[in-house]
Amino acid sequence: MKNVYLFNNGRIQRKDSTISLVLEDGTKKALPIENTENLHVFAEMDFNTSFFNLMNQKDVNIHFYNYYGYYSGSYTPRRKKVAGFLDVQQAAHVLDLDKRLYIAQQFIYSGVHHILRNVRRYKEEVEPFINEIEQLKSQVAEACDIQTLMGIEGKIRFTYYQCFNSVIKNPDFQFTKREKRPPTNPINALISFGNSLMYTAVLSEMYKTQLNPTISYLHEPGSRRYSLSLDLAEIFKPLIMDNLIFMLINKKMIRAEHFEYVEEHICLLNEMGRKIFIAEFEKRMNTTVKHRKLNRQTSYRFLIRLECYKLIKHLIGDEDYKALKAWW
């Protein structure tokens, strides 16, 4: 099953049991919907209800990104995997502070493990920052509320970002500080774009399980967002996305010419930059490692779904949740 990315404006039409893409210049292309799992829309597209009905039948998620290339929303088929008991247990673990803290701490321990894994390769250059991250990590167990935990996580990430200029070996890219809204330089643009892709990848895998993506533990559950995806993305952003960004910059696969500036100060990947990034992201997600417990090759993408299954086991009382810590 594939992820299909649309960059050109046009219209998507249903023709019997297939999908036809009609571009603005009149060019028609057939979309292999039978093999499609997720449709990522980066362009201005027109749809009709028969198209959405077919997406529902074929279980295809559609993720929309705004003009700047950042995630703006999803259309997901009617949930077929529902479990009332799990919903109740998922909510109960939010309402009980000790239970919520345990799960939230697991997400942070995993994220910090992968952050340290990234920077220890440059130990000689960033040792003071490694020591600071380890000292902050020791405070995670002492946090007695979610706000404190989020504060520690924020300090860890701030310290981590100070290592970036030692990890990045391309003089054309310099990192000063994290800027999200909006990113004003190429590295922030890469991080924001990558985080959007990571978020939708987690959400897509979560929809294959019975987890409710709106009930979360580290991030506050709220209306209009799938906050459990944000929680689980904390595990995978340093493991998958940060490494990918370092590789794209250090191997000069992404260069200054792959960015554009809009409204004078907002820095974005242009279309070519996005295509290069997404192609390498898909390769990374399909990379396999030998899973110690399953004793078989497992893709990075499937590791996300396994994390969902592990969380389900914890919520229903089968097995304590221990978040992923890369062993390879």
Side-chain angles (χ1 to χ4, degrees):
M1 300 296 280
K2 296 193 304 183
N3 283 268
V4 174
Y5 297 85
L6 302 178
F7 293 99
N8 297 315
N9 297 343
R11 172 183 291 272
I12 290 186
Q13 298 174 329
R14 175 178 178 173
K15 188 176 181 182
D16 300 324
S17 293
T18 62
I19 293 298
S20 173
L21 173 63
V22 184
L23 302 180
E24 283 182 325
D25 63 2
T27 305
K28 289 186 179 181
K29 292 182 179 179
L31 283 181
I33 212 67
E34 291 292 341
N35 298 321
T36 299
E37 186 172 353
N38 294 288
L39 202 58
H40 299 262
V41 182
F42 287 87
E44 294 289 330
M45 303 294 299
D46 293 333
F47 307 91
N48 56 27
T49 50
S50 63
F51 164 77
F52 284 107
N53 286 333
L54 184 61
M55 295 300 98
N56 195 50
Q57 290 174 23
K58 302 294 184 183
D59 266 341
V60 179
N61 300 308
I62 310 171
H63 302 297
F64 298 97
Y65 300 81
N66 64 17
Y67 171 76
Y68 303 109
Y70 305 135
Y71 176 76
S72 61
S74 297
Y75 168 81
T76 55
R78 179 177 60 84
R79 288 185 69 188
K80 298 179 176 66
K81 293 184 176 180
V82 294
F85 177 70
L86 177 59
D87 277 352
V88 171
Q89 292 304 315
Q90 207 176 326
H93 280 70
V94 176
L95 298 174
D96 185 314
L97 180 59
D98 288 340
K99 290 181 178 178
R100 179 178 176 180
L101 271 173
Y102 175 82
I103 297 172
Q105 286 166 337
Q106 285 298 311
F107 294 144
I108 291 183
Y109 282 135
S110 174
V112 175
H113 175 83
H114 296 137
I115 282 172
L116 289 170
R117 186 171 179 264
N118 288 345
V119 296
R120 279 180 177 141
R121 297 164 187 165
Y122 308 89
K123 186 176 180 181
E124 289 185 4
E125 298 165 72
V126 299
E127 190 163 12
F129 298 120
I130 292 175
N131 294 338
E132 191 173 340
I133 292 171
E134 287 176 336
Q135 192 276 328
L136 288 164
K137 179 185 170 186
S138 69
Q139 298 175 15
V140 170
E142 300 164 8
C144 53
D145 57 61
I146 295 297
Q147 193 173 15
T148 303
L149 203 55
M150 288 292 280
I152 296 169
E153 192 273 338
K155 290 177 184 174
I156 289 172
R157 195 156 283 278
F158 176 78
T159 309
Y160 174 49
Y161 286 139
Q162 294 181 70
C163 304
F164 271 33
N165 283 333
S166 297
V167 176
I168 293 171
K169 303 299 182 185
N170 183 338
D172 294 336
F173 289 81
Q174 286 292 311
F175 188 69
T176 50
K177 63 178 181 178
R178 179 73 177 111
E179 295 170 323
K180 300 179 184 176
R181 299 185 182 88
T184 60
N185 60 57
I187 294 182
N188 275 302
L190 289 169
I191 295 172
S192 294
F193 185 71
N195 286 349
S196 289
L197 292 179
M198 198 72 253
Y199 177 78
T200 56
V202 171
L203 183 62
S204 299
E205 292 305 306
M206 194 178 296
Y207 262 107
K208 296 170 187 171
T209 75
Q210 295 169 323
L211 281 174
N212 184 328
T214 66
I215 302 175
S216 55
Y217 304 96
L218 180 59
H219 296 83
E220 284 299 326
S223 59
R224 295 182 297 177
R225 68 175 187 168
Y226 300 119
S227 44
L228 188 57
S229 294
L230 297 175
D231 283 3
L232 286 168
E234 292 296 327
I235 296 172
F236 295 98
K237 283 192 295 186
L239 175 64
I240 297 174
M241 198 53 73
D242 293 350
N243 272 318
L244 177 63
I245 291 172
F246 299 149
M247 185 272 285
L248 288 169
I249 294 175
N250 287 340
K251 290 190 174 182
K252 299 186 177 179
M253 298 172 73
I254 288 284
R255 301 180 292 276
E257 67 206 54
H258 295 129
F259 298 87
E260 62 183 7
Y261 288 84
V262 297
E263 299 173 21
E264 296 185 354
H265 67 288
I266 301 175
C267 183
L268 305 171
L269 272 169
N270 61 23
E271 183 177 327
M272 180 55 70
R274 289 176 192 175
K275 287 180 177 176
I276 293 169
F277 193 114
I278 287 170
E280 294 303 317
F281 173 67
E282 284 294 316
K283 284 183 191 174
R284 188 63 61 99
M285 292 295 278
N286 292 324
T287 301
T288 59
V289 295
K290 182 73 175 290
H291 197 284
R292 293 185 297 190
K293 197 169 181 180
L294 299 178
N295 195 30
R296 64 179 171 87
Q297 291 299 121
T298 306
S299 70
Y300 276 33
R301 192 183 302 279
F302 192 63
L303 285 175
I304 297 174
R305 203 184 322 166
L306 287 178
E307 209 62 19
C308 296
Y309 291 143
K310 284 161 57 181
L311 185 55
I312 290 173
K313 282 189 173 184
H314 175 84
L315 295 170
I316 62 177
D318 272 0
E319 188 176 322
D320 287 345
Y321 176 59
K322 299 291 182 187
L324 173 72
K325 292 180 180 175
W327 60 85
W328 55 94

